[in-house]
Amino acid sequence: MASLSTGVTAAGLPAGVSAGLGRLAATAGRRVAALGVLAALWESLPRLRVVDPTFLTPLSEVLVAWWDLLLSGELLEHTQASLIRSLAGFALAIVVAIPLGLLIGWYKPVAELLDPVLELFRNTAALALLPVFVLILGLGETSKISIILYACAWPILLNTVAGVKSVDPLLIKSARSMGLRPVRLFQKVILPAAVPTIFTGIRLAGAYSILVLVAAEMVGAKAGLGYLITYAQFNFRVPDMYAGILTISVLGLLFNQLLVRLERRFSTWRTT
Amino acid sequence: MKIQIQGVGKEFRVRGAGRPFTALDDVTLDVRAGELLTLVGPSGCGKSTLLDLLAGLTEPTSGRILLDGAPVDGPGLDRGIVFQQYALFPWRTALSNVEFGLAAKAVPRKERAERARSYLDLVGLRGFEERYPHELSGGMRQRVAIARSLAFDPDVLLMDEPFAALDAQTRESLQEELLRIWEKTGKTIVFITHGIDEAVYLGRRVAVMTSRPGRIKRVVDVEFDSRDGDLRADARFGEYRHQVWTLLRDEVAAARTEEVVHVG
């Protein structure tokens, strides 16, 4: 590698560019290095019998199991079931929490009315309420989507309220001095100013939608990645269990990356 | 008279304190049409409160303010404000910030961009239309803010220490620019500052305020034989400067002792 990069420099690339490329490669290298070490440990520890391979399957075998699950169509079915639940809960949370948050942030009386209730519920872990959801809504899809909706709604709601409340008063004053009435003021100043903060909430909710999913699918589900993981564990299909876990991690990662990109797009101006 | 401030007082209720806080007390001042009047006073004398009243953002506790003979009733597009901290909308480009006031005035969409462009041109920002505020220097941001206030064509421009946050060099060039724009547009300008040099350099009249509660102590007419060349080197400039400084000295001292009493 070293000789190759020297060759490129000699071929006529300006020194600055090749130095930049070198830095980029170094950063990428460091990022991959930790993952590489993790993968190597996952592979070698069970093989060297440092841990019992019955409980920690080597990575290569997990990947084979994952491939088999993919070929059999089983993985797709579970992923699809999970994604539908996650996205439904996530989307509903956006639809419910953003308007509610705007209302609470903008109208003091609404805030005073709802604040105590919100304080109580936001300090109750979503998963602690899972049994309640199951008892009331049954074991079907409704309770699963509801618990995801519930978990996702909080970060969106709280960030929306914060976003509306933290709008620079000077901007409001400036817009008022140009004769803007409350409705236009809200539409032209409050809302755009709050968008980046709201998006931070949406990104957090995206992570929650995957995190809560697994727990929701561990009771009374017939499909889904959470179901796959528990089912595989009960039947001692340990490689399949790890394959399920890996899939959920990657899914969460991809979803988060997507939302981070979206967030960046909507808040390019917030770099000062 | 463009603006008549008649016996205006402003009190604020202070939480925890028994009696209200008096920011302004019996302020009387006339501003002529098309003049550039500077208002100078020690910090905390209620300069900005007076500007808020002129803008119609708050109402006086006593007295009244007339604009073209009619009492000021809320904010309006006949007055434009330029704030010290620019108050630009960070999610809008320079052009779109200038268009904001035009939209508020219900100028047809097609006309907005054209007019905004010409005002950015007037403040020397041609070629920066698509920049966001965070991509502009402090001086350029203030230019955008001035363009925004000029674009919806108010009769009166209210400026609240607009150049106080800028470095000395940028400040001087913007002061010159403001004079050029004022001469070109003929706006009535009320310019608030705590800088004596700035007040004398810009103002055709300088209104000196007392420390809290703010009143008008004296209005100084500033006249030069010629404004060409380096005005600050003119002997008259030094005299006016000294006159305003003397008027302010006691007020600044009073403001300071009050501050000490408050802190102590």
Side-chain angles (χ1 to χ4, degrees):
Chain A
M1 279 309 274
S3 69
L4 185 73
S5 78
T6 333
V8 169
T9 314
L13 264 181
V17 172
S18 83
L21 283 175
R23 256 199 309 280
L24 210 69
T27 317
R30 267 196 295 278
R31 281 169 167 275
V32 174
L35 281 177
V37 170
L38 183 69
L41 283 174
W42 190 348
E43 183 66 28
S44 58
L45 289 181
R47 290 221 183 272
L48 297 170
R49 304 271 159 182
V50 181
V51 290
D52 191 338
T54 334
F55 301 125
L56 183 66
T57 321
L59 178 60
S60 54
E61 283 174 35
V62 172
L63 290 176
V64 170
W66 186 84
W67 186 246
D68 288 340
L69 281 172
L70 184 72
L71 289 185
S72 71
E74 218 178 321
L75 191 67
L76 196 70
E77 182 200 327
H78 291 305
T79 307
Q80 200 178 3
S82 287
L83 268 182
I84 288 172
R85 285 176 194 134
S86 270
L87 291 179
F90 175 68
L92 284 171
I94 290 178
V95 173
V96 172
I98 291 181
L100 190 62
L102 294 175
L103 219 61
I104 294 173
W106 189 236
Y107 292 106
K108 253 217 175 88
V110 181
E112 281 163 3
L113 183 75
L114 293 180
D115 256 352
V117 186
L118 294 180
E119 261 328 290
L120 183 67
F121 275 98
R122 68 176 270 207
N123 286 302
T124 311
L127 290 180
L129 290 174
L130 183 57
V132 182
F133 276 82
V134 172
L135 277 177
I136 296 174
L137 300 170
L139 281 167
E141 290 302 303
T142 322
S143 72
K144 291 181 181 53
I145 292 175
S146 298
I147 191 81
I148 293 167
L149 158 67
Y150 179 82
C152 290
W154 288 106
I156 301 177
L157 183 70
L158 296 175
N159 273 283
T160 306
V161 173
V164 172
K165 279 190 175 163
S166 63
V167 177
D168 184 354
L170 184 64
L171 294 183
I172 298 175
K173 190 173 168 180
S174 170
R176 276 219 307 138
S177 80
M178 286 186 257
L180 259 70
R181 303 257 159 244
V183 176
R184 298 277 287 167
L185 183 73
F186 188 83
Q187 176 195 353
K188 293 282 177 189
V189 180
I190 311 285
L191 206 55
V195 161
T197 321
I198 294 174
F199 239 92
T200 306
I202 291 180
R203 182 168 54 77
L204 287 171
Y208 285 13
S209 76
I210 304 284
L211 291 176
V212 181
L213 173 75
V214 186
E217 285 176 347
M218 280 179 178
V219 266
K222 287 178 201 69
L225 291 168
Y227 163 78
L228 171 68
I229 293 167
T230 15
Y231 173 81
Q233 187 210 347
F234 280 138
N235 293 286
F236 224 73
R237 284 163 50 189
V238 179
D240 285 358
M241 181 188 85
Y242 282 113
I245 295 174
L246 206 61
T247 311
I248 260 190
S249 297
V250 171
L251 210 63
L253 199 69
L254 289 178
F255 196 29
N256 194 48
Q257 282 298 314
L258 181 79
L259 291 171
V260 166
R261 291 229 174 145
L262 266 174
E263 186 184 11
R264 233 177 260 156
R265 248 189 85 109
F266 278 99
S267 47
T268 41
W269 53 269
R270 204 170 63 166
T271 46
T272 36
Chain B
M1 281 305 148
K2 190 72 195 172
I3 304 170
Q4 291 161 284
I5 304 168
Q6 300 174 336
V8 163
K10 178 71 184 174
E11 291 179 349
F12 292 102
R13 260 175 304 181
V14 184
R15 212 183 310 175
R19 59 205 174 92
F21 169 91
T22 310
L24 294 172
D25 182 35
D26 195 21
V27 173
T28 298
L29 179 69
D30 287 340
V31 184
R32 299 166 194 151
E35 92 167 317
L36 202 171
L37 177 117
T38 49
L39 198 65
V40 62
S43 63
C45 75
K47 300 185 290 267
S48 298
T49 306
L50 187 58
L51 193 111
D52 282 356
L53 290 171
L54 289 172
L57 292 168
T58 49
E59 285 174 12
T61 317
S62 57
R64 57 181 196 157
I65 297 175
L66 304 178
L67 183 71
D68 289 323
V72 165
D73 177 29
L77 289 163
D78 49 354
R79 286 147 289 153
I81 312 186
V82 178
F83 298 95
Q84 183 185 332
Q85 296 303 335
Y86 326 123
L88 296 176
F89 302 110
W91 57 89
R92 287 171 162 255
T93 61
L95 189 75
S96 156
N97 259 289
V98 179
E99 285 176 354
F100 189 90
L102 296 172
K105 205 185 177 180
V107 171
R109 195 175 289 272
K110 272 186 225 156
E111 244 174 83
R112 282 181 216 162
E114 197 183 322
R115 238 162 99 175
R117 230 173 265 281
S118 76
Y119 276 96
L120 280 176
D121 208 19
L122 178 73
V123 297
L125 282 181
R126 185 199 291 258
F128 291 92
E129 291 87 354
E130 299 309 319
R131 298 282 189 95
Y132 284 90
H134 70 87
E135 298 170 321
L136 299 169
S137 69
M140 290 165 116
R141 287 183 212 181
Q142 197 54 287
R143 284 167 194 264
V144 176
I146 292 172
R148 180 175 65 183
S149 289
L150 287 172
F152 55 81
D153 199 27
D155 291 339
V156 180
L157 206 55
L158 305 168
M159 306 184 84
D160 190 3
E161 305 201 21
F163 307 148
L166 305 173
D167 64 85
Q169 231 169 350
T170 312
R171 187 181 313 141
E172 275 190 25
S173 75
L174 272 173
Q175 286 168 352
E176 274 175 43
E177 200 114 328
L178 179 67
L179 287 178
R180 182 179 62 79
I181 289 168
W182 174 60
E183 273 157 18
K184 195 169 170 184
T185 58
K187 303 277 179 213
T188 306
I189 300 180
V190 178
F191 188 105
I192 287 179
T193 177
H194 62 255
I196 300 174
D197 279 44
E198 186 168 65
V200 174
Y201 181 74
L202 291 176
R204 294 314 191 252
R205 291 196 301 150
V206 178
V208 181
M209 287 184 78
T210 64
S211 66
R212 205 167 59 213
R215 289 192 196 88
I216 302 295
K217 187 171 189 178
R218 181 92 56 85
V219 181
V220 179
D221 286 291
V222 180
E223 274 160 30
F224 292 102
D225 298 332
S226 157
R227 281 189 165 262
D228 298 330
D230 185 2
L231 197 66
R232 292 178 181 84
D234 195 310
R236 301 286 298 276
F237 187 89
E239 286 167 26
Y240 285 127
R241 196 191 175 286
H242 182 70
Q243 193 184 348
V244 174
W245 180 83
T246 313
L247 286 167
L248 267 178
R249 187 181 48 183
D250 304 338
E251 301 308 327
V252 174
R256 195 166 300 149
T257 45
E258 186 159 333
E259 221 162 85
V260 170
V261 169
H262 269 268
V263 174

